[in-house]
């Protein structure tokens, strides 16, 4: 009897479940159309795929090779300085013409301040503007410098191939989410939004074309690289070219003429728009603004006056400060050694050329502005950063407790000149030391220094033997600090006891 009642109860429950399921199915069929089902399924699938992409981006599975990315390194270094409360007083924005054409360490040292080059290859003035917006959000500088090569006939919504790739790389390197989000519709066509934001979408072809990078990324994720932190001072300089124009390229100039015609120069409405935006932002933030044109070889551009005039019509509208190193007389001093050995349209400066341009920019800043730049030479934090860096000893002297670099003499009267200081520097090179003689600029006023050399008689100790030797120091035209003229030479490592005598002579 009990078993029969149990069977009836079970059967009743099954009937009830079937009835409930029929009711649920009826509700689904009644309220859900096939289109809605498809939309729900697509939405769910999109959510899953989107989550996987976000996860992959977060992990970095499809990251490109970044060990040599100087653009990423710039922003990392800038934020590292900011985290240590180290101010950046001069910010420079542009593309490859800027980071090969200005040496930020020398600019910082000769002005006694901190300058930083924010520049990415192949970008335009729109990128400079949004890079500037992010940088001054972190710290407001005294001066902003914009290199003018990016003021061209670009259209951000029609970027393709290398131009699009360069813009994405620069965009990706920046860090402030809000600024990047706001800039996205101004830097890219809507079709490229996802490529700009997602390394997974951008580099999904690595599955077939670059599996080694995927494997490398996976290893870095599984076992993070615990290398020591790079504590070297990096201010955005990227050395690409160390030697100048050679005979074969010079022959092309002489036979074919200039590869660039200034008559062809144009700028777009977008360039005009961002010049105005940059100008207004600097006015609002009370930042001094300079538009800087870095030069190419004088035979590289014909009809440069047309280019200059066209750009002037734009820049003069906003009454901005302008330094054009392509146009005479500021061009004086740039020669073959200052420029990349190429006949292509786009020509950059060499390391030596960048030093010439850097000191000309420093002079322009000193002479053109009633602005109080922080004088940080005596600041312990600044000194710790810059002491011994390139350009330091050309502008300042070694401290007393420096065991590797020394002042040989001060205010030493020679036959026809007085040495303000003479330094002997250990270059951490077993084969070479450097000697720098500093002469007060006032003593060589209206003199062509390139026609001079400084001949010194130096007492040295070689082993147990003391002797006097003669050394010729050549005029250093690359480093032109504010107060001194420099003469330099390289010596084999020796112990210098004193400067005995010397004189300026014609080369």
């Amino acid at each position: 009897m009990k078993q029969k009642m149990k069977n009836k109860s079970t059967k009743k429950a099954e009937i009830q479940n079937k009835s409930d399921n029929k009711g649920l199915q009826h509700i689904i069929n009644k309220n859900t159309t096939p289109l809605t089902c498809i939309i729900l399924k697509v939405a769910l699938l999109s959510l899953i795929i989107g989550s996987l992409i976000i996860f992959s981006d977060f992990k970095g599975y499809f990251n490109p090779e970044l060990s040599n990315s100087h653009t990423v390194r710039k922003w990392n270094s800038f934020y590292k300085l900011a985290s240590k409360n180290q101010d950046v007083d001069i910010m420079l924005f542009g593309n490859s013409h800027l980071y090969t054409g200005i040496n930020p360490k020398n600019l910082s040292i000769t002005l006694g301040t901190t300058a930083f080059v924010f520049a990415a290859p192949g970008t335009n003035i729109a990128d400079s503007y949004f890079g500037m917006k992010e940088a001054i959000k972190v710290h407001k500088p005294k001066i902003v410098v914009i290199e003018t090569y990016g003021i061209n006939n670009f259209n951000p919504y029609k970027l393709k191939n290398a131009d699009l790739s360069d813009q994405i790389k620069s965009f990706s390197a920046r860090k402030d989410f809000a600024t990047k989000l706001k800039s996205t519709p101004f830097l890219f066509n809507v079709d490229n939004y996802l490529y700009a934001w997602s390394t997974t979408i951008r580099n999904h072809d690595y599955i077939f074309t670059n599996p080694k990078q995927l494997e490398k990324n996976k290893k870095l994720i599984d076992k993070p690289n615990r290398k020591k932190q790079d504590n070297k001072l990096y201010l955005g300089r990227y050395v690409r070219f160390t030697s100048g124009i050679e005979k074969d390229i010079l022959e092309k100039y002489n036979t074919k003429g200039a590869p660039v015609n200034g008559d062809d120069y144009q700028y777009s409405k977008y360039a005009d728009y961002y010049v105005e935006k940059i100008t207004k932002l600097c006015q609002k933030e009370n930042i001094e603004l300079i538009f800087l044109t870095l030069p190419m070889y004088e035979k590289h551009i014909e009809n440069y006056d047309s280019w200059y005039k066209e750009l002037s019509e734009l820049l003069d509208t906003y009454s901005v400060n302008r330094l054009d190193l392509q146009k005479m007389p500021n061009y004086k001093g740039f020669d073959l050694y200052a420029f990349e050995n190429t006949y292509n349209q786009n020509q950059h400066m060499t390391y030596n050329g960048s030093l010439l341009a850097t000191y000309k920019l420093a002079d322009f800043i000193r002479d053109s502005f009633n602005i109080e730049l922080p004088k940080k030479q005596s600041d312990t934090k600044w000194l710790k950063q810059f002491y011994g860096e390139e350009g330091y000893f050309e502008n300042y002297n070694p401290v007393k407790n420096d065991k590797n670099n020394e002042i040989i003499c001060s205010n030493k009267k020679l036959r026809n000149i007085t040495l303000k200081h003479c330094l002997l520097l250990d270059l951490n090179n077993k084969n070479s030391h450097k000697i720098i003689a500093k002469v007060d600029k006032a003593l060589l006023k209206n003199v062509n220094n390139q026609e001079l050399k400084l001949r010194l008689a130096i007492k040295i100790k070689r082993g147990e033997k003391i002797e006097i030797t003669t050394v010729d120091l050549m005029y250093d035209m690359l480093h032109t600090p504010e107060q001194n003229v420099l003469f330099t030479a390289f010596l084999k490592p020796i112990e210098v006891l004193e400067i005995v005598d010397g004189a300026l002579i014609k080369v």
Side-chain angles (χ1 to χ4, degrees):
M1 185 72 175
K2 287 182 178 180
Q3 184 63 38
K4 284 182 179 182
M5 289 179 66
K6 186 176 181 182
N7 290 338
K8 282 182 180 181
S9 176
T10 302
K11 193 171 182 180
K12 187 176 179 181
E14 288 175 355
I15 291 170
Q16 183 64 43
N17 285 337
K18 285 180 181 180
S19 176
D20 290 344
N21 288 338
K22 283 181 180 180
L24 181 60
Q25 188 66 43
H26 174 71
I27 292 170
I28 292 173
N29 290 337
K30 183 177 179 181
N31 296 311
T32 309
T33 65
L35 180 59
T36 306
C37 287
I38 293 171
I39 292 172
L40 288 173
K41 289 177 181 178
V42 169
L44 181 60
L45 184 61
S46 298
L47 181 63
I48 293 170
I49 293 173
S51 298
L52 290 174
I53 290 173
I54 292 171
F55 178 76
S56 175
D57 285 344
F58 177 75
K59 285 291 189 178
Y61 287 117
F62 287 84
N63 281 352
E65 174 58 55
L66 295 176
S67 60
N68 293 319
S69 175
H70 57 91
T71 309
V72 172
R73 189 183 176 198
K74 290 176 206 296
W75 285 99
N76 288 344
S77 182
F78 173 67
Y79 275 93
K80 184 178 174 182
L81 288 174
S83 70
K84 296 180 178 179
N85 296 318
Q86 295 176 4
D87 299 340
V88 174
D89 310 298
I90 303 174
M91 296 181 177
L92 302 96
F93 298 88
N95 53 33
S96 57
H97 280 251
L98 181 63
Y99 64 67
T100 59
I102 292 294
N103 186 305
K105 287 184 179 178
N106 273 269
L107 184 62
S108 299
I109 288 167
T110 196
L111 291 173
T113 188
T114 303
F116 200 102
V117 170
F118 301 85
T123 54
N124 50 58
I125 195 169
D127 185 76
S128 294
Y129 170 70
F130 287 110
M132 172 185 163
K133 282 202 75 174
E134 176 166 340
I136 68 172
K137 190 175 178 180
V138 177
H139 173 75
K140 190 171 80 171
K142 300 286 186 180
I143 297 173
V144 160
V145 178
I146 302 292
E147 209 285 316
T148 62
Y149 199 75
I151 303 175
N152 52 40
N153 200 25
F154 77 96
N155 183 334
Y157 306 113
K158 292 185 178 180
L159 295 177
K160 293 181 180 179
N161 304 325
D163 292 333
L164 176 60
S165 176
D166 287 337
Q167 183 59 76
I168 287 175
K169 288 175 183 176
S170 180
F171 175 84
S172 182
R174 296 200 290 270
K175 296 181 177 297
D176 184 69
F177 178 82
T179 306
K180 287 177 69 174
L181 188 63
K182 290 176 183 177
S183 71
T184 302
F186 297 99
L187 292 175
F188 303 103
N189 184 294
V190 66
D191 295 341
N192 295 316
Y193 287 3
L194 292 178
Y195 289 98
W197 278 95
S198 172
T199 55
T200 302
I201 293 175
R202 186 161 69 245
N203 301 321
H204 65 277
D205 62 324
Y206 280 7
I207 296 171
F208 306 105
T209 62
N210 198 356
K212 288 184 179 179
Q213 186 61 44
L214 289 177
E215 186 60 31
K216 181 180 178 180
N217 291 339
K218 186 176 182 302
K219 287 179 180 178
L220 288 174
I221 293 164
D222 293 340
K223 294 182 180 180
N225 194 348
R226 302 297 184 185
K227 283 185 179 180
K228 289 183 179 180
Q229 191 175 14
D230 182 8
N231 290 317
K232 291 181 180 178
L233 179 63
Y234 183 67
L235 301 175
R237 164 74 183 168
Y238 182 62
V239 178
R240 289 185 63 192
F241 309 104
T242 55
S243 60
I245 296 173
E246 298 173 4
K247 287 183 179 179
D248 58 333
I249 297 299
L250 189 58
E251 184 62 27
K252 287 185 178 181
Y253 285 119
N254 294 333
T255 56
K256 295 182 178 182
V260 177
N261 191 336
D263 289 339
D264 298 332
Y265 174 74
Q266 292 179 322
Y267 60 85
S268 67
K269 63 180 181 180
Y270 299 102
D272 188 349
Y273 174 75
Y274 284 105
V275 167
E276 182 179 12
K277 294 281 282 183
I278 288 170
T279 304
K280 287 183 176 179
L281 181 58
C282 286
Q283 288 173 348
K284 178 184 175 183
E285 298 291 342
N286 197 27
I287 298 170
E288 293 287 354
L289 174 62
I290 301 170
F291 282 90
L292 169 69
T293 300
L294 290 163
M296 291 183 273
Y297 179 47
E298 60 185 345
K299 292 183 180 180
H300 201 81
I301 308 174
E302 65 178 343
N303 300 319
Y304 180 70
D305 283 344
S306 297
W307 187 333
Y308 181 86
K309 183 180 178 182
E310 185 81 5
L311 186 55
S312 296
E313 288 178 0
L314 171 60
L315 298 181
D316 290 350
T317 304
Y318 304 104
S319 301
V320 296
N321 301 294
R322 183 181 181 189
L323 173 62
D324 191 313
L325 295 179
Q326 183 76 48
K327 191 168 177 65
M328 296 294 285
N330 293 318
Y331 195 78
K332 187 178 179 182
F334 294 97
D335 210 335
L336 295 174
Y337 61 83
F339 302 103
E340 173 193 2
N341 187 44
T342 183
Y343 189 74
N344 293 329
Q345 280 200 330
N346 196 15
Q347 185 185 59
H348 301 86
M349 303 191 79
T350 61
Y351 177 79
N352 287 340
S354 76
L355 289 176
L356 285 173
T358 296
Y359 282 92
K360 287 182 183 296
L361 175 59
D363 289 341
F364 181 78
I365 289 171
R366 289 191 192 100
D367 298 341
S368 303
F369 297 99
N370 291 320
I371 185 171
E372 281 293 324
L373 281 173
K375 300 295 183 183
K376 298 180 177 178
Q377 300 94 317
S378 58
D379 180 80
T380 305
K381 189 188 294 184
W382 187 91
L383 189 62
K384 185 177 180 181
Q385 269 190 323
F386 285 97
Y387 188 81
E389 293 285 350
E390 54 180 307
Y392 182 86
F393 292 119
E394 282 79 4
N395 287 273
Y396 307 110
N397 294 329
V399 296
K400 289 182 179 180
N401 60 353
D402 189 334
K403 296 179 180 179
N404 298 314
N405 308 288
E406 61 177 317
I407 303 173
I408 305 172
C409 69
S410 297
N411 299 317
K412 176 72 177 182
K413 290 185 178 181
L414 306 179
R415 295 183 186 182
N416 59 358
I417 198 71
T418 298
L419 291 188
K420 194 173 182 179
H421 298 288
C422 191
L423 316 181
L424 183 65
L425 309 177
D426 182 350
L427 303 178
N428 295 319
N429 185 332
K430 293 180 180 179
N431 300 316
S432 186
H433 284 177
K434 185 176 183 180
I435 187 167
I436 299 178
K438 301 181 179 182
V439 177
D440 195 314
K441 268 187 180 177
L443 299 179
L444 294 174
K445 201 172 183 180
N446 301 321
V447 174
N448 184 356
N449 298 320
Q450 295 186 44
E451 296 179 352
L452 299 175
K453 65 180 177 181
L454 179 64
R455 179 164 290 169
L456 295 180
I458 305 176
K459 183 184 288 187
I460 64 170
K461 185 176 182 181
R462 204 189 302 270
E464 296 298 320
K465 192 176 179 182
I466 295 176
E467 57 187 81
I468 294 176
T469 187
T470 301
V471 178
D472 283 348
L473 285 69
M474 306 307 295
Y475 167 63
D476 185 350
M477 64 181 298
L478 302 178
H479 299 89
T480 53
E482 183 178 13
Q483 297 179 347
N484 299 318
V485 175
L486 309 183
F487 295 87
T488 64
F490 292 92
L491 310 171
K492 289 184 178 180
I494 51 175
E495 184 179 351
V496 176
L497 300 177
E498 66 171 309
I499 305 297
V500 178
D501 200 358
L504 282 174
I505 59 175
K506 284 198 171 185
V507 176

